[in-house]
Structures are given as structure tokens and as C-alpha cells.
Amino acid sequence: MTAQIFLQIVASGLLMGLIYALIAVGLSLIFGLMDVVNFAHGEFMMLAMYAVFGAVVIIGIDPLMAMPLAVAALFVVGATAYLGVVQHAMRAKANIGMVQIFATFGLAVLIRGVSQFLFTSDYRNVPAERNLLGGKTIELGGVFLPLPQLVGAGISVLAFVGLWLLITRTDFGKALEATREDAGAVALVGIDKNRVFTLGWGLGASLVGLAGAILAIFYYIHPDVAAPFALIAYVTVALGGFGSVFGALVAGIMVGLAEALTATILPPALKSVGIYALYLGVLFIRPKGLFGSL
Amino acid sequence: MASQALSAPLAATTAAHDGRRRRELIAFAILLAAFAVLPHLVKDVYAQNVIVLTLMYAALSQSWNILGGYCGQISLGHALYFGTGAYATSLLYTKFGVIPWFGMIVGGVIAAAIALVLGYQLFRLAGHYFAIATIVIAEAGLLLVHNWDWAGAATGIQWPFVPDSWLTFQFGRDKLPYIYFALGLFAATWLVTFAIEGSRWGYWWRAVKDNADAAESLGVKIFKSKMAAAAVSAFFTAVGGAFYACFVQYIDPDSVMAFKFSLLMALPAVLGGIGTLWGPVVGAVILIPLMETTSSYLGGTGRGIDLIVYGLLVMVVALARPEGIVSLFSRRKAPKA
Amino acid sequence: MLSRREFAGGAAALATALSTGARAQAPQEVKIGALYPLSGASAQIGNDAKTAFETAVDIINNAHPELDLPLGKEPGLPGLGGAKIRVIYADHQGDPQKGRAEAERLITQEKVTALVGTYQSAVAATVSQTAERYGVPFLSADNSSPSLHRRGLKYFFRAAAHDEMFSAIMFDFLDSLKKKGQKVETLALFYEDTIFGTDSSNVQRKLAGERGYKLVADIKYRANSPSLTAEVQQLKAANADVLLPSSYTTDSILLVKTMGELGYKPKAILAQAAGFSEQTFVDAVGKQVENYITRGSFSLDLARKRPTVGKVNEMFKAKSGRDLNDNTAREFMALLLLAEAIDRAKSTDGAKIREALATTNIPGEKTIMPWKKVGYAETGQNNDADPVLLQYTGGKFLTIFPEQAAVAEAVWPMSKS
């Protein structure tokens, strides 16, 4: 393996890893807040991809401009999912863990079905002529950095910084922190738990919405598109530690790199085995993931 | 302290308890008889196919329930054991001419051994970490089989086309043998569950759920009993997989090891009532026919209507009846017991 | 949107199924069961197939004297007193078990006289087995796995080519280029980890060995991967004279996009159809790989010689907004061939239809395909289903091989670099 090829693998793994991290962080955030694994997370991402596609085709704007739109739309989707489904699942008196898994799993199947009904099963692509970044790439010393992924990775980093500021510097962040520490006690200091949860779901969905909007620039879109990404997101979250934002970032990058490296060493068809081995290896040493406390 | 507090009411209710267990056995006998007669009343091949699948998933869910329900280890990777059974049986039969009846047992034992190794590593993981780890291990297994050339890799294993025979457990059109086998498998898993409920294991597991102190004092015993439960659960799941291979007579990695099987094994127990004796069969009887008929009669539209119905159903049942459907019946009994 | 009628139809079917009695067969109607993936990742293929079948049904059931096709002129099946064809669809979701169960349902409940399907070869394996057991003919429209016709089944038929025939013509073409003095020495295989990818690559690997080509990359990848960067990196490093991909639509699109992103311009692409012959692929990334070549069962420029081809394409396009392609053309033809055999059998009895199918003899000119003729060997395979090679040039597919069917000279290599 030449140095150039090695650099290319690291660069590609890093760029993809940052996007994986952004897909995973919303899931981790929601889990940290209220101990719920959202099995419809991938479907949220798929909806964001359709939102971008729709904005590009109907309004005629560039996918980059459509990003805020997708993020806003997903905030509504996330908040609605909480108010319409998860809130009720939380009230269950028995088997609360299973109820949440299957309520969100049912929601996932429902979203896929509705998407197929509304958008049909056709494979969609953001039209190249309205896609400023699509297919563009820059070359640095023989290493190719595709612009969509590069910009996507940059946005991902910015999103993580923003999220960190939000959690540490704002009242909402403090309420979020307090609620995750002790959801019962916050009521005493006048924080509406339900409101925090609703906003938390909106935020989590927005983050995966942002990731979906980035993917829409260079990935195809159809109702079942999210399944492989969702699996990676679950592994990333467990690897980083449920509830840890920083863990999601580190784990995402590790997963991206592990995938790229495995595909070079083993037959590419087995590249996910590298991710799984990394994950199981870490879990063996740290049963709660790299940065997990829950 | 803890054990005293637990054993005193236990002694008082022993008589009532025995009575209840006798009634459960009678109800079970009636259910078996009903299922045995059903295919003679319903001759339609499609309906009989649905009966086979319903019984198979009742058995699989019952096996899953031993680990997932009673021990509280939510496994979402049981497809690994299902696939182990299907592949062991198919490989032994097509490569070495070993009859499926033997392959079934071999598959079950291999799966149980895998479950022991995995259980040893995974039982210390907390809730969601355990669930995700089981998904990942099953996915890794799927990928490996997908790339295992000797086992047919992606091409899968086509069973040879032979005349109907009990020896090779292959029947072209006749569904009755499969219905009876699936019924037998379900009966076995039900009886094992029934026995566990009445055994020390069942008592320990209940104690752990109700009382955190008990968990401390029973630590080592609990761990061993959970290992045993994992092995039993995996064994029966693998036998179910072996049965599926005999039934379809063609397997490939995606059709026996995909994640959806792991979910389909857990779902009936969740809908019916997780950690209950009757939950899995009640859940399977409702869920499987509904899923099959919606996908058969609404799937032809190609517009995802079947998915909408299935998704709504899962969601609504999970939300409306978190304790499972069987709680509808036990609540009425509650004042008596 | 789903029309009210469709929904009502589904509900009615459900109701019929619930009321146990099987319906008596209407004498004016002959039912054929079609098994396709109508939900899940391949749902688009199934939905396109429905449109192809609807076009064929239109031609069979109504009078189309302008078309030189079997059953085109008269309305319905003259052999059965003008009976109409009706296609009953079932969703097999790409699951072999479901395929088997749905085939049984169509045969026993819907009383279909024949089956057609299934896109995925894994499903065809169980569907054909079930058809055999019930003595109902199964015509494989678009499965390309060669193993299917080698199991000694009596009720299995396939009018189109299989992977070995497809790959053989690809290598014939490479041989002809070599004779003309082109440098074609190294090949790169790129295939998905499914039956399709495995079968296709096995044949290609074997042919490459036999005909003296060197494999410089042999890459199996996981279908529907989130990224193909590492895979393309290896293709780029190998930089073979010809890249031979076997991929479905989603991965084909991702492959070409990733090639662009990593600055890899293959010298030539010779694709095993699938994704590379889909309109979605062409719309998304066709321009990026101008002059790529794909094998095909069908070619629109046949319309120059046979006006019928163009007319059928117009009918199909009116319904779907797309041109006929490799899959939809085969599906259309399959239904027509089944109906033709039923008409000749003058019966809806499975064994008689089987006999009629076995004695089929239709000249290629009476089809929309570039085939020599339709006639099934002992195995059920039509060995005269000659495939063609198509090159995507200037927004169109042009037939470039074999020579008797070619309308243009191949551009080779596809890009000068």
C-alpha cells in the first residue's frame, strides 16, 4: 500500500465517519435524555432526504439552501413523534423498555409505508444541474476529497460545536442536563419535563435531519434507504456510550476509519465485520462504551 | 430477611398456585387439541401455510421469551440461532446425506453452545447495550455466512427434489406434517416454559425482578441459571430454524438470518405479554395471520399499504396494551388470586 | 396516489379470502399470477413490471392489428373463445418463503393457470419448485441465474438469456476488439454479494481464464452499502482495461458517483445490465459515464427494423413515462408468450399449457426482442435468446454488438486518458 493510498483511505474514512457521527448523535442525545432507543431514527433521516429532494425539485433551490428547511421539518417530525407516540409509551406501567422499542419500531415501519405510498418506490437523485456540490471533488497531492462529503463533514463539526454550546451555555441546555440527571426533581424547580422532552426529540430529529440533508447531495433516495445507516448509528451510539455526545463524535470517526481500513485489508464485502469487531472489542473492555455513564 | 419475606406468602398460596397450574395444563391440552383439529376444518392451502407459520412463530417466540421475558435479557439477535439450525440441517443433509431429524439436533446443540459462549460475554452488559450487541453479533454472523463459499454463500442451499417422505421430512403439497411438527415444537417450548415457571429458576428470576436485595444474594446462581436459559432458548430457536429449512426446502443467508427474524421472534411475546406463559402464543395467533394476510392481499398494490397496516398495528398494540394482551384475562382473575 | 378502485380491489380480495369458498372460474377470463417485489428495496422493479404486464394485457385483450405480435390482432384468446387475460399480482418481498407461499395462494385460491416472475433468482428457486409440485407452468421473465434451468424441472421455462449467455457475448465482443487491434488485456470484476453478483462473476472469472484475460481486481461488495469509497479506490489502483460491474440500480448509481469523487475514469465499462440499464441510473449519472456499454436483452433501435417495437414502446411509455428497458421488455414478452401458449393449448389445464409451451416456435421477428426465435430446450431454456450489447452515447442506447444487430460502431475506449 502506498502512502498516497493510505492517506486516501484515512481521508475517506474520516469524512464518512463525521457524517456517521452526525447521524448517531441525535439518537444518543434522546437516549441520554430519557432512556429511549428510537428505532425510527433511520426513517427520520430518510424523511429529511425526501425533504431536500422535494425542495430542490419543487422550489428549485440548491440542496445546500434546502438544508435549513429539512432541519426545521425534522424538528417538527421529532416533536410530533414524541407527543404522538413516545410520550404514551413512557406512560406504560409494565415492560417500558420493550414498549418503547416496539412503539418506535412500529413508527418506523409506518413511516416507510407512508413514504412508499406518497413518494412511490422510485429511486430518486437530486438533479445534477441544481446541485452545486454534487460530483465535484478537489485533489490534494493525489488524495481526492469529494466536495459534498467535505462540506458535510465541516457542517457535522459545526453542528457538534453548536450542540456543545447549546448544552453548556443555554438555559435550554441546562434544563436538558437537569432533566437527564433527575427527571423527577426538575418539576420542583419549575421545569416542564414534557416540554424538555418534546424539544429534545425535536433537536435529536433535527440533527439526523441535517445528516440526511447532507447525504441527499450525493446519495440516492428511496423509502428503504436508511436501513444500513441506522444499523451503523446504533453501533456508533453503543460504541461511544449511550447518552454521550462526545462519544458519538469519537465513535463515528472510529467507525468510518474502521470501515475504510477493513475494506482494504479484507474482501470489501466483509467491511462491516471490521466495525463489528471494533465495537465488540471495546465493549469487552468497557461494557458501557467509550464515554458512557448510563 | 429477603428470603423470609418471599417464602412466607409463597407457602400460603401454594394450594391456589397448584390449582392454577393444573388449570393451565388443562387449557394447554384444549389448545393443542384445537390446533390439531383446525387443519382438518380449514383445507385451504394458503390458510394452512398461515397456520404453520403461526405455530412456528409461537414456538420461536416462546423460546425467545425464556431468555427475553423471564430473564429480562432482551435479545434482538436470535436470528443467529435460527440460521444456525437452518444451515446445520441443510448442510448436513445436502452435503453428507444426514437426515434432517439428526441435523435438527446437531443445529440445536451448536446454537446452544454459541449461546453459552455469548452469554458468558454479554450478560454483564446493561439493557440497551445487550440488545445492540446481540443485533451486531447476529449481523456479523449473517455477513460471514454470506461470504462462506462452502455453505453456498449468497446462492444459498437448494434442497434436492425428492418424493414425499417422513424420513427426509419433505412434503410437496401436504401441509399437515408441517403443521403437526410445528405444533409439537410449540408444545415442547410451552412445556419447558411451564416447567421453568414452577422450578427454582423461575422462582429466582421472579425474586430478582421484585426485589433488588434478592439479586445480590442470588448473584452467582442467577448467572448460571441465565446461561442455562440462554442455551435452552437457543436450542429451540435452532430447531425452529431447521424446521423452516425443511418447510421451504431452500435457504439463503438473507432468508434465515436477517434482522427481521429476530424482531419477529420477539414481537409475538411482546404483543401477547412478555415473560408470561401464554403471551407468545396469543401474540403469534393475532400477529402472524394479520401480517400474512395484509401482505398477501394489500401488498399487491405495491404502494406500501401492507407496511402502513403492519406498522400501525405494532404501534397501537404496544401502546394500548403494554402488559400484553394476556393481561386482559389475568386482570379479571387478579382479585381471586 | 392509490386510487380508490385499487384500494377497494384489495379490500374485496381480502374479503374473498376470508370467506373461505374458492370462486368458480369465470370462463371468459384466464388468470395468470405474477410474483414480484412490491415493497422493500426492490419495489420499483416490481412496480415497473406491473406496467409492462398491463401493456401486454392491453395488447392481448384488445385488437391491435397494427402490431406484428402473437395475439395482437384479435381481442382476447381466440383458442379459448376470446377469453381475456387477467394478471393477479402478489408481493413476495424478495423472500423465498413468501414467494413459495404466494405461489401456492395464487394457484389454489386464485386458480391461476400459470405463473410469471420473479426478478430475484432466490425467489424463483422456490416459486418454480412450487409450480412443479402443482403442475402449473412457471415462465421466468427476468431471472438470470443459470442454476434455475438445471434442476430437471418440467414446468420451468425461460425465454430470455441467462448469465452464461450474457457473459459469453461480452467476451465475444472483447475478443473481436482484440482482433481489431485494441488493447484489451486486463479486467476488473466488481459484483454484489447476492446470487446475481455471484453467478455473474463466476461465469466471467471462468471465461476470463479460458480466453486469456488477466483479472487485476476481483471485488465483491455488500449490496446497498453506505459507501463504496474503499472499493472504488481498489478499482482505481488496478486501472483495468475493462471494468465489468454486476450491480443493481442503487449501487450502480453510488459506484459511478464515487468514481467521479475519487477521480477514477475507467478506460471502458462493460456492465452486466441490471442497474446499468435502468432509466433511473441513466438519468442520475449516465452523462458521467458516457460511452459505457451494457449487455441487454432488448434494444430500442430494433424499432428501425421492426415498427412494432416502437409502437409497443410508445404504449408502455404512455403508462410509465419511461422507455422499455432490459427488465420491462423481458417481462412484457414473458406474459405475451404465456398467453400465446395458453391460446394454443386451448385449455387452462397446466399439463396442456406445459405441452404447448414445450412446442413453442415463434420467429424472432414476431417478438420485440433481438432473439433468433423462441423455442424451449428440454431444460425449459430458450437457447436462441441472443443478447445484445448496447452503448450509451449521446443520451441514447445504441446496439453495437453482435454485428448483425449493430446500428453503430463501438466507441472504444470510452474515455481517452
Side-chain angles (χ1 to χ4, degrees):
Chain A
M1 196 189 321
T2 66
Q4 191 189 8
I5 291 179
F6 180 75
L7 276 177
Q8 178 73 61
I9 290 163
V10 171
S12 307
L14 193 68
L15 294 185
M16 214 52 207
L18 279 165
I19 293 169
Y20 289 155
L22 189 58
I23 298 173
V25 69
L27 190 66
S28 194
L29 192 80
I30 290 170
F31 182 88
L33 188 62
M34 51 200 293
D35 220 28
V36 171
V37 175
N38 174 18
F39 273 79
H41 196 66
E43 280 63 30
F44 284 3
M45 189 184 97
M46 175 265 289
L47 287 179
M49 294 173 83
Y50 272 108
V52 170
F53 176 76
V56 172
V57 171
I58 297 164
I59 313 177
I61 53 178
D62 191 87
L64 275 177
M65 310 294 289
M67 259 179 209
L69 230 109
V71 170
L74 263 287
F75 186 90
V76 177
V77 170
T80 312
Y82 172 73
L83 292 172
V85 179
V86 182
Q87 185 181 213
H88 303 285
M90 304 278 293
R91 292 207 197 107
K93 291 192 183 61
N95 309 315
I96 190 152
M98 289 308 277
V99 171
Q100 287 159 0
I101 290 179
F102 284 98
T104 54
F105 168 71
L107 179 67
V109 176
L110 177 68
I111 293 178
R112 273 210 300 275
V114 171
S115 303
Q116 193 181 339
F117 186 79
L118 294 179
F119 312 136
T120 79
S121 47
D122 286 4
Y123 305 117
R124 312 284 185 174
N125 285 278
V126 170
E129 61 274 16
R130 298 203 193 129
N131 195 344
L132 186 67
L133 296 176
K136 305 245 175 22
T137 187
I138 48 176
E139 191 191 339
L140 284 177
V143 175
F144 285 83
L145 301 171
L147 264 186
Q149 277 98 318
L150 200 62
V151 171
I155 293 174
S156 169
V157 171
L158 287 180
F160 269 96
V161 172
L163 189 60
W164 179 72
L165 288 175
L166 183 78
I167 289 174
T168 53
R169 300 286 158 86
T170 64
D171 286 344
F172 171 67
K174 282 175 192 133
L176 213 65
E177 247 342 81
T179 314
R180 78 192 274 178
E181 299 275 311
D182 189 343
V186 289
L188 301 174
V189 293
I191 296 175
D192 179 0
K193 187 179 73 175
N194 236 340
R195 190 163 159 267
V196 175
F197 283 171
T198 311
L199 293 175
W201 269 77
L203 182 61
S206 299
L207 287 164
V208 76
L210 185 59
I214 294 169
L215 274 179
I217 301 177
F218 62 92
Y219 211 74
Y220 52 83
I221 305 164
H222 68 107
D224 275 296
V225 68
F229 290 96
L231 183 63
I232 289 182
Y234 296 125
V235 172
T236 305
V237 170
L239 177 63
F242 276 101
S244 167
V245 169
F246 185 63
L249 177 63
V250 175
I253 294 171
M254 284 171 71
V255 165
L257 289 174
E259 185 183 53
L261 285 172
T262 316
T264 317
I265 301 161
L266 294 180
L270 286 170
K271 66 182 174 184
S272 298
V273 170
I275 301 178
Y276 302 154
L278 169 75
Y279 160 77
L280 293 172
V282 169
L283 222 57
F284 186 65
I285 302 159
R286 294 185 64 89
K288 294 189 170 182
L290 291 170
F291 300 95
S293 52
L294 291 158
Chain B
M1 273 280 287
S3 64
Q4 254 179 7
L6 283 165
S7 57
L10 190 77
T13 57
T14 301
H17 174 76
D18 286 351
R20 184 173 59 83
R21 280 177 68 80
R22 203 170 309 124
R23 278 199 302 279
E24 276 177 338
L25 272 180
I26 293 167
F28 174 63
I30 295 170
L31 182 75
L32 282 196
F35 268 120
V37 174
L38 186 63
H40 295 283
L41 304 175
V42 183
K43 297 275 191 201
D44 179 68
V45 182
Y46 176 76
Q48 291 199 344
N49 190 65
V50 174
I51 296 174
V52 172
L53 291 177
T54 304
L55 286 168
M56 184 185 86
Y57 279 111
L60 290 170
S61 197
Q62 195 74 260
S63 319
W64 180 89
N65 197 33
I66 295 172
L67 185 65
Y70 288 94
C71 296
Q73 298 288 346
I74 305 295
S75 160
L76 292 177
H78 261 47
L80 180 67
Y81 307 133
F82 188 77
T84 303
Y87 265 92
T89 308
S90 302
L91 285 171
L92 283 172
Y93 179 55
T94 56
K95 303 258 180 191
F96 305 107
V98 178
I99 55 166
W101 300 101
F102 186 69
M104 235 171 233
I105 306 298
V106 174
V109 170
I110 296 174
I114 296 175
L116 288 176
V117 173
L118 293 182
Y120 189 75
Q121 297 295 342
L122 297 185
F123 280 158
R124 59 207 183 92
L125 299 179
H128 293 298
Y129 289 97
F130 179 82
I132 303 274
T134 54
I135 296 179
V136 166
I137 290 171
E139 278 297 311
L142 168 67
L143 265 186
L144 293 175
V145 175
H146 229 294
N147 288 280
W148 186 14
D149 289 329
W150 185 72
T155 314
I157 301 170
Q158 169 81 57
W159 284 38
F161 212 67
V162 296
D164 287 7
S165 147
W166 273 101
L167 189 65
T168 56
F169 198 35
Q170 284 193 62
F171 297 88
R173 292 193 194 187
D174 198 0
K175 294 280 177 283
L176 275 182
Y178 295 114
I179 291 180
Y180 286 128
F181 183 93
L183 185 61
L185 185 61
F186 163 68
T189 55
W190 189 93
L191 285 170
V192 166
T193 314
F194 182 75
I196 287 177
E197 265 203 349
S199 74
R200 280 180 308 166
W201 291 359
Y203 171 63
W204 291 339
W205 296 340
R206 277 193 299 277
V208 171
K209 271 188 193 159
D210 298 340
N211 187 322
D213 290 339
E216 283 290 317
S217 63
L218 287 170
V220 177
K221 283 183 185 167
I222 286 283
F223 182 75
K224 283 189 181 159
S225 66
K226 277 189 179 177
M227 292 279 285
V232 171
S233 177
F235 178 85
F236 282 112
T237 306
V239 173
F243 165 74
Y244 188 83
C246 298
F247 179 54
V248 182
Q249 291 150 29
Y250 169 83
I251 60 166
D252 69 356
D254 287 320
S255 70
V256 294
M257 293 185 80
F259 176 57
K260 67 169 188 187
F261 284 101
S262 298
L263 274 172
L264 274 175
M265 284 178 226
L267 214 46
V270 174
L271 297 190
I274 187 170
T276 64
L277 188 55
W278 296 101
V281 62
V282 170
V285 164
I286 293 170
L287 182 76
I288 304 301
L290 232 144
M291 269 182 64
E292 289 296 317
T293 45
T294 48
S295 92
S296 292
Y297 296 104
L298 299 176
T301 60
R303 296 304 301 267
I305 313 274
D306 52 327
L307 292 179
I308 296 176
V309 173
Y310 173 43
L312 269 179
L313 181 86
V314 171
M315 217 165 68
V316 167
V317 177
L319 293 178
R321 273 280 131 198
E323 311 88 344
I325 294 161
V326 289
S327 68
L328 284 171
F329 304 97
S330 59
R331 190 160 294 171
R332 258 187 297 147
K333 280 186 197 156
K336 259 194 282 175
Chain C
M1 296 290 287
L2 182 91
S3 75
R4 208 198 198 105
R5 211 174 33 167
E6 273 176 295
F7 183 77
L14 188 65
T16 327
L18 295 177
S19 67
T20 44
R23 276 175 292 178
Q25 174 125 21
Q28 283 88 5
E29 193 174 77
V30 175
K31 292 186 196 169
I32 293 177
L35 296 130
Y36 275 87
L38 294 165
S39 60
S42 309
Q44 188 189 351
I45 304 291
N47 281 318
D48 283 351
K50 279 180 94 164
T51 318
F53 290 140
E54 278 162 25
T55 311
V57 167
D58 180 357
I59 290 171
I60 298 163
N61 286 353
N62 302 308
H64 285 277
E66 77 280 11
L67 301 175
D68 187 18
L69 290 171
L71 301 174
K73 292 186 181 55
E74 316 82 354
L77 306 178
L80 276 169
K84 306 273 191 210
I85 288 278
R86 185 151 82 91
V87 181
I88 316 278
Y89 299 95
D91 177 15
H92 63 55
Q93 301 175 358
D95 177 351
Q97 189 280 126
K98 201 136 238 152
R100 190 192 55 88
E102 287 297 296
E104 260 182 340
R105 180 177 70 85
L106 291 175
I107 293 168
T108 60
Q109 280 190 357
E110 300 286 356
K111 313 279 181 208
V112 299
T113 52
L115 294 170
V116 62
T118 60
Y119 189 56
Q120 279 102 339
S121 290
V123 182
T126 57
V127 167
S128 56
Q129 194 160 317
T130 305
E132 187 81 9
R133 293 210 147 120
Y134 282 88
V136 169
F138 168 65
L139 183 58
S140 156
D142 43 17
N143 310 112
S144 63
S145 176
S147 61
L148 288 172
H149 70 271
R150 297 202 175 125
R151 293 174 302 158
L153 300 184
K154 286 209 141 38
Y155 285 81
F156 175 89
F157 295 91
R158 171 161 53 194
H162 55 75
D163 283 331
E164 285 171 12
M165 298 163 75
F166 284 134
S167 290
I169 191 174
M170 290 160 74
F171 279 81
D172 289 347
F173 171 63
L174 294 179
D175 288 350
S176 81
L177 284 176
K178 258 207 306 207
K179 263 193 219 129
K180 285 183 195 151
Q182 296 279 6
K183 178 183 167 291
V184 186
E185 283 155 16
T186 58
L187 310 178
L189 302 187
F190 179 82
Y191 52 100
E192 60 167 44
D193 61 345
T194 60
I195 298 193
F196 162 63
T198 310
D199 278 344
S200 164
S201 68
N202 284 344
V203 180
Q204 291 177 344
R205 200 173 296 113
K206 183 167 147 262
L207 287 172
E210 285 170 8
R211 303 197 189 187
Y213 294 92
K214 191 170 166 236
L215 287 188
V216 288
D218 188 332
I219 297 174
K220 174 156 85 170
Y221 70 92
R222 181 95 180 118
N224 297 319
S225 275
S227 125
L228 289 174
T229 311
E231 289 83 344
V232 171
Q233 183 61 43
Q234 292 176 30
L235 289 177
K236 187 184 173 190
N239 195 22
D241 293 334
V242 189
L243 169 62
L244 299 161
S246 308
S247 307
Y248 286 131
T249 314
T250 52
D251 295 323
S252 308
I253 293 172
L254 190 61
L255 169 69
V256 173
K257 285 188 175 181
T258 311
M259 289 194 312
E261 288 163 2
L262 294 184
Y264 171 44
K265 285 202 169 59
K267 291 177 200 160
I269 296 177
L270 184 48
Q272 186 78 272
F276 284 82
S277 54
E278 289 290 333
Q279 189 64 39
T280 317
F281 170 85
V282 170
D283 290 343
V285 292
K287 278 192 200 119
Q288 284 187 49
V289 279
E290 177 85 14
N291 295 330
Y292 78 87
I293 299 167
T294 175
R295 61 87 172 159
S297 310
F298 173 74
S299 160
L300 254 188
D301 43 46
L302 261 182
R304 298 182 194 180
K305 282 185 231 163
R306 286 185 226 159
T308 298
V309 176
K311 287 175 196 155
V312 172
N313 186 55
E314 287 311 311
M315 291 174 69
F316 177 79
K317 205 171 181 176
K319 288 181 206 280
S320 68
R322 301 185 173 112
D323 284 322
L324 278 168
N325 69 13
D326 195 46
N327 287 326
T328 44
R330 279 188 284 174
E331 287 145 6
F332 167 87
M333 210 55 232
L335 192 67
L336 215 55
L337 290 170
L338 259 187
E340 191 273 340
I342 295 169
D343 181 54
R344 223 163 358 97
K346 298 190 170 41
S347 163
T348 54
D349 176 64
K352 293 203 176 112
I353 299 172
R354 196 215 94 84
E355 287 316 309
L357 273 167
T359 54
T360 298
N361 189 356
I362 298 172
E365 296 75 45
K366 289 263 196 184
T367 72
I368 62 163
M369 311 301 275
W371 301 339
K372 267 203 238 29
K373 65 169 207 168
V374 181
Y376 307 99
E378 192 83 332
T379 55
Q381 174 65 40
N382 174 18
N383 289 320
D384 293 307
D386 301 327
V388 290
L389 296 184
L390 309 167
Q391 188 160 40
Y392 181 74
T393 304
K396 270 193 308 206
F397 282 110
L398 299 175
T399 310
I400 50 147
F401 196 81
E403 260 142 44
Q404 70 271 17
V407 297
E409 186 83 5
V411 179
W412 190 277
M414 63 186 264
S415 57
K416 315 268 184 233
S417 60

